[in-house]
């Protein structure tokens, strides 16, 4: 059984060479997935750019129109951190369409992963923090509108608190948002998730994993979830440029394996998105991110072998 992986060349737009956001990581992630044979005999699933109607399910239509027509006000563009050109808008639409497709593939295959996504700082009103559209929020809204799901659980393990996702789903009884993050990191003003756990600077593998192992089984028992969206940001890594935690590479792998195995053992489909990760060494960063795809493929193949045995 092959892990379905979603990718689009437009995930990688042009930015100035000195820009803080490592845009080239999306191209490097796709190349590494191909090189390691994680696609098996298959190819990447290629998404369509998310149409206006999808994005407007999670964001204010006026803001969506501004992005689609490259007329985002300068103040909002500065808060997002990107020059809001047509290619940046296309990138956001493709990444969002990619997470929608990842959700549908997860429902069909049990696990699926995007090579982008996890733009969790984009709130209902507008984007922020390198996040134009909140792809996970849009995907959940689309799946709900289509009748494919009713209840969704968001497991957000990016080092930054998932304020945008929390904002979109505040008061929604059918979506539960969980964020495990660095308490003193961005954003300064956090929007409360349904469950937030803020960690002290320098938190390492054992404390981090113990908290996750205490919380996740209870979350899975709390509701009859139709799908889990897993933000597998790799910025909790000790060497990340924008993280303040101290997970090792092995700790990231143990984290991803625990989440994916626990969710699948509960019988819930899992859609994995890339999340944050920051480094000037793009090859190192891509290798860090592909931990998600390697681990998801191993869990999926292990489950297939067990079923065959």
């Amino acid at each position: 059984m092959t892990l379905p992986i979603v990718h689009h060349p437009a995930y990688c737009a042009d930015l100035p060479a000195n820009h803080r956001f490592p845009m080239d990581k999306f191209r490097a992630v796709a190349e590494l997935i191909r090189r390691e044979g994680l696609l098996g005999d298959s190819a990447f699933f290629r998404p369509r750019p998310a149409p206006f109607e999808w994005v407007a399910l999670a964001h204010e239509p006026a803001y969506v129109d501004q992005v689609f027509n490259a007329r985002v006000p300068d103040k909002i563009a500065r808060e997002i951190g990107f020059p809001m050109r047509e290619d940046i808008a296309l990138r956001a639409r493709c990444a969002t369409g990619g997470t929608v497709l990842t959700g549908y593939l997860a429902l069909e295959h049990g696990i699926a992963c995007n090579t982008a996504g996890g733009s969790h700082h984009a709130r209902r009103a507008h984007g922020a923090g390198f996040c134009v559209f909140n792809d996970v929020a849009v995907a959940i809204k689309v799946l709900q509108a289509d009748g494919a799901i009713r209840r969704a659980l968001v497991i957000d393990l990016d080092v930054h608190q998932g304020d945008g996702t929390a904002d979109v789903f505040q008061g929604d009884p059918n979506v539960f948002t969980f964020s495990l993050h660095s308490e003193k990191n961005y954003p300064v003003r956090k929007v409360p998730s349904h469950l937030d756990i803020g960690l002290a600077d320098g938190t390492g593998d054992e404390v981090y994993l113990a908290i996750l192992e205490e919380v996740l089984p209870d979350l899975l028992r709390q509701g009859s979830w139709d799908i889990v969206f897993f933000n597998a940001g790799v910025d909790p890594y000790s060497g990340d440029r924008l993280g303040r935690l101290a997970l090792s590479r092995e700790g990231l792998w143990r984290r991803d394996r625990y989440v994916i195995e626990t969710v699948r053992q509960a019988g819930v489909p899992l859609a994995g998105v890339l999340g944050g990760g920051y480094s000037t060494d793009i090859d190192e960063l891509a290798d860090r991110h592909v931990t998600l795809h390697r681990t998801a493929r191993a869990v999926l193949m292990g489950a297939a072998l067990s079923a065959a045995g």
Side-chain angles (χ1 to χ4, degrees):
M1 183 176 289
T2 301
L3 173 71
I5 304 178
V6 176
H7 180 71
H8 195 292
Y11 286 178
C12 192
D14 290 329
L15 288 176
N18 60 347
H19 199 281
R20 293 178 73 207
F21 187 81
M23 187 69 78
D24 284 344
K25 72 180 184 179
F26 300 107
R27 182 184 299 113
V29 163
E31 290 173 354
L32 185 57
I33 286 170
R34 288 192 189 97
R35 193 159 64 243
E36 293 191 3
L38 299 181
L39 293 169
D41 295 327
S42 301
F44 285 119
F45 287 83
R46 184 165 175 161
R48 60 181 289 206
F52 182 98
E53 292 76 15
W54 285 7
V55 184
L57 291 171
H59 294 288
E60 294 292 345
Y63 168 67
V64 180
D65 183 72
Q66 289 169 352
V67 175
F68 273 51
N69 292 287
R71 291 200 299 264
V72 176
D74 290 344
K75 180 180 178 181
I76 294 176
R78 286 194 298 271
E79 191 168 347
I80 293 169
F82 291 144
M84 292 307 298
R85 307 181 310 251
E86 290 183 3
D87 61 326
I88 297 292
L90 177 62
R91 179 200 173 274
R93 293 177 60 197
C94 288
T96 300
T99 297
V100 173
L101 178 55
T102 302
Y104 279 107
L105 290 168
L107 293 176
E108 180 180 354
H109 298 276
I111 309 176
C113 293
N114 200 354
T115 59
S119 296
H120 62 168
H121 298 309
R123 303 184 183 187
R124 180 173 292 279
H126 59 75
F130 304 139
C131 302
V132 178
F133 296 140
N134 193 312
D135 56 288
V136 167
V138 172
I140 291 172
K141 293 284 191 179
V142 169
L143 292 170
Q144 288 176 325
D146 194 33
I149 66 165
R150 187 173 71 89
R151 305 196 70 215
L153 171 63
V154 179
I155 300 171
D156 189 337
L157 302 187
D158 191 287
V159 81
H160 305 104
Q161 194 254 356
D163 59 323
T165 315
D167 177 69
V168 173
F169 293 114
Q170 276 191 327
D172 189 330
N174 291 316
V175 180
F176 191 99
T177 56
F178 163 51
S179 178
L180 178 63
H181 53 266
S182 167
E183 179 62 29
K184 294 182 180 180
N185 213 322
Y186 179 92
V188 175
R189 295 179 180 85
K190 296 172 173 59
V191 178
S193 307
H194 294 102
L195 175 62
D196 281 306
I197 299 178
L199 301 173
D201 287 5
T203 299
D205 293 352
E206 300 312 320
V207 171
Y208 185 101
L209 293 166
I211 292 171
L212 188 58
E213 290 168 7
E214 181 179 355
V215 170
L216 184 55
D218 286 341
L219 290 181
L220 290 168
R221 285 193 291 265
Q222 281 182 21
S224 300
W225 309 113
D226 298 310
I227 194 168
V228 164
F229 280 88
F230 172 36
N231 183 332
V234 294
D235 38 12
Y237 174 58
S238 60
D240 193 89
R241 286 182 69 192
L242 300 185
R244 301 172 69 118
L245 302 183
L247 268 64
S248 66
R249 287 296 303 272
E250 181 185 4
L252 288 174
W253 169 74
R254 289 168 61 192
R255 179 199 72 175
D256 288 3
R257 184 185 65 177
Y258 178 73
V259 170
I260 296 168
E261 286 183 343
T262 304
V263 170
R264 292 304 298 134
Q265 286 168 4
V268 184
L270 181 141
V273 296
L274 212 67
Y278 303 89
S279 175
T280 56
D281 185 340
I282 295 298
D283 290 337
E284 181 278 326
L285 181 55
D287 187 58
R288 217 191 309 161
H289 274 302
V290 174
T291 302
L292 168 67
H293 308 85
R294 296 182 188 113
T295 308
R297 184 174 186 267
V299 172
L300 187 63
M301 294 183 69
L305 288 173
S306 296

